[in-house]
Amino acid sequence: MKTKKDYPEYMWATLSWPEIAERLKIVDTAILPCGAIEQHGPHLPVDVDYFDAAYLAERVAAACQEPRPFVLPALPYGVSYHHSEFKGTICVTNNALSALVYDIGMSLAHNGIKKIVILNGHGDNAPTLKYAAQMINRDAKIFVCVETGETSDVDIYDLIKTHNDIHAGEIETSTSMAIRPELVNMEKAVDDTLDLDNEYLDFTSERGVSWYVHTKKLSSSGVMGNARLATPEKGKVMWEIMIRKMTDFVETIKNISSDELYQNKY
Ligand SMILES: [Zn+2]
């Protein structure tokens, strides 16, 4: 049987209000994981972005020094209209997601949280989450940031062979194999690598311009990348890098005072 000790002291949802009140005296940082429930090809479950964001947030908090940041319950649903031609995709509008994240952020500020790290597991949530972050900052005047892999993407892309590996391909299949191999069906894994070969249109190019398309137009399987090249070993290395870089980032945020962040001019 589980005991109270099995529940980490930084997981917001399983604390009582007096425990949260006590912890708020020493912790001013909270991580809000945001995901999506959307198709991830014929070989992966639809919850990859949600599960991975929640998993990363928890692992990062565990890897931090005391006092560890709070981890909020992850938001499962995201902006996934572009996958809606595939069954299993549940999408919410940009307006609904930004309103929800804004309300959560304002409520966290009301609780006394001074720094919010929105840990985003789904690339297409990014503009909406950044909009919400700006609104929270405008109204609550607290630190809010959105991380969608920026702290580790350059290292991850160095590890893979696939060009434009953006969805359910070499990266996401590897990371899923490393932590939930029982949910990966490699017999159904396909290579649907996009070959745009254009520095402005490539999704992973440093000069890439943001553009939007329904996935079905580009890929009949829903995969954009090469899932066949995935291995659990690669996935394990990717998780180690993501956890290490994200922990380093959260520690930086956690240990810097608002005065320092704003150069004492705010
Ligand atoms: Zn994904």
Side-chain angles (χ1 to χ4, degrees), residues 38 40 48-49 121-122 166-168 172:
E38 61 177 32
H40 270 73
V48 169
D49 296 351
H122 172 51
I166 55 164
H167 189 72
E172 285 189 305

mmCIF file of all heavy atoms in Angstrom, residues 38 40 48-49 121-122 166-168 172, ligand 1:
data_model
loop_
_atom_site.group_PDB
_atom_site.id
_atom_site.type_symbol
_atom_site.label_atom_id
_atom_site.label_comp_id
_atom_site.label_asym_id
_atom_site.label_seq_id
_atom_site.Cartn_x
_atom_site.Cartn_y
_atom_site.Cartn_z
ATOM 1 N N GLU A 38 -3.532 13.844 -29.364
ATOM 2 C CA GLU A 38 -3.622 13.900 -30.821
ATOM 3 C C GLU A 38 -2.901 12.715 -31.440
ATOM 4 O O GLU A 38 -2.015 12.119 -30.810
ATOM 5 C CB GLU A 38 -2.987 15.207 -31.331
ATOM 6 C CG GLU A 38 -1.510 15.319 -30.984
ATOM 7 C CD GLU A 38 -0.829 16.559 -31.526
ATOM 8 O OE1 GLU A 38 -1.480 17.612 -31.636
ATOM 9 O OE2 GLU A 38 0.372 16.458 -31.845
ATOM 10 N N HIS A 40 -0.468 10.275 -33.126
ATOM 11 C CA HIS A 40 0.993 10.213 -33.245
ATOM 12 C C HIS A 40 1.371 9.015 -34.106
ATOM 13 O O HIS A 40 2.145 8.144 -33.696
ATOM 14 C CB HIS A 40 1.643 10.123 -31.856
ATOM 15 C CG HIS A 40 1.960 11.469 -31.264
ATOM 16 N ND1 HIS A 40 0.994 12.304 -30.778
ATOM 17 C CD2 HIS A 40 3.134 12.137 -31.104
ATOM 18 C CE1 HIS A 40 1.560 13.423 -30.338
ATOM 19 N NE2 HIS A 40 2.850 13.350 -30.524
ATOM 20 N N VAL A 48 1.115 11.085 -26.224
ATOM 21 C CA VAL A 48 2.574 11.291 -26.114
ATOM 22 C C VAL A 48 2.942 12.688 -25.578
ATOM 23 O O VAL A 48 3.724 12.811 -24.631
ATOM 24 C CB VAL A 48 3.281 11.052 -27.479
ATOM 25 C CG1 VAL A 48 4.727 11.520 -27.442
ATOM 26 C CG2 VAL A 48 3.227 9.565 -27.843
ATOM 27 N N ASP A 49 2.361 13.730 -26.159
ATOM 28 C CA ASP A 49 2.759 15.094 -25.755
ATOM 29 C C ASP A 49 2.350 15.406 -24.311
ATOM 30 O O ASP A 49 3.063 16.099 -23.581
ATOM 31 C CB ASP A 49 2.137 16.146 -26.691
ATOM 32 C CG ASP A 49 2.657 16.006 -28.108
ATOM 33 O OD1 ASP A 49 3.605 15.234 -28.336
ATOM 34 O OD2 ASP A 49 2.092 16.672 -29.002
ATOM 35 N N GLY A 121 4.728 20.486 -24.157
ATOM 36 C CA GLY A 121 5.106 19.256 -24.856
ATOM 37 C C GLY A 121 4.604 19.186 -26.282
ATOM 38 O O GLY A 121 4.835 18.196 -26.970
ATOM 39 N N HIS A 122 3.928 20.238 -26.741
ATOM 40 C CA HIS A 122 3.317 20.196 -28.080
ATOM 41 C C HIS A 122 3.596 21.503 -28.817
ATOM 42 O O HIS A 122 3.056 22.560 -28.464
ATOM 43 C CB HIS A 122 1.805 19.960 -27.916
ATOM 44 C CG HIS A 122 1.029 20.085 -29.177
ATOM 45 N ND1 HIS A 122 1.370 19.413 -30.333
ATOM 46 C CD2 HIS A 122 -0.085 20.790 -29.487
ATOM 47 C CE1 HIS A 122 0.502 19.718 -31.288
ATOM 48 N NE2 HIS A 122 -0.383 20.556 -30.803
ATOM 49 N N ILE A 166 9.648 16.021 -37.100
ATOM 50 C CA ILE A 166 8.874 16.902 -36.222
ATOM 51 C C ILE A 166 7.703 16.243 -35.522
ATOM 52 O O ILE A 166 7.167 16.785 -34.555
ATOM 53 C CB ILE A 166 8.358 18.165 -36.968
ATOM 54 C CG1 ILE A 166 7.558 17.768 -38.208
ATOM 55 C CG2 ILE A 166 9.504 19.092 -37.321
ATOM 56 C CD1 ILE A 166 6.723 18.919 -38.747
ATOM 57 N N HIS A 167 7.269 15.078 -35.986
ATOM 58 C CA HIS A 167 6.077 14.499 -35.346
ATOM 59 C C HIS A 167 6.045 12.979 -35.442
ATOM 60 O O HIS A 167 5.983 12.440 -36.552
ATOM 61 C CB HIS A 167 4.799 15.090 -35.977
ATOM 62 C CG HIS A 167 3.560 14.720 -35.248
ATOM 63 N ND1 HIS A 167 3.227 15.250 -34.016
ATOM 64 C CD2 HIS A 167 2.582 13.836 -35.532
ATOM 65 C CE1 HIS A 167 2.089 14.729 -33.605
ATOM 66 N NE2 HIS A 167 1.687 13.856 -34.502
ATOM 67 N N ALA A 168 6.088 12.335 -34.282
ATOM 68 C CA ALA A 168 5.968 10.863 -34.192
ATOM 69 C C ALA A 168 7.056 10.141 -34.987
ATOM 70 O O ALA A 168 6.859 9.012 -35.429
ATOM 71 C CB ALA A 168 4.567 10.410 -34.632
ATOM 72 N N GLU A 172 10.352 11.356 -31.211
ATOM 73 C CA GLU A 172 9.260 10.982 -30.288
ATOM 74 C C GLU A 172 9.109 9.467 -30.131
ATOM 75 O O GLU A 172 8.696 8.991 -29.062
ATOM 76 C CB GLU A 172 7.936 11.599 -30.752
ATOM 77 C CG GLU A 172 7.861 13.089 -30.466
ATOM 78 C CD GLU A 172 6.483 13.656 -30.721
ATOM 79 O OE1 GLU A 172 5.949 13.484 -31.846
ATOM 80 O OE2 GLU A 172 5.921 14.264 -29.805
HETATM 81 ZN ZN ZN B 1 4.178 14.910 -30.142
#
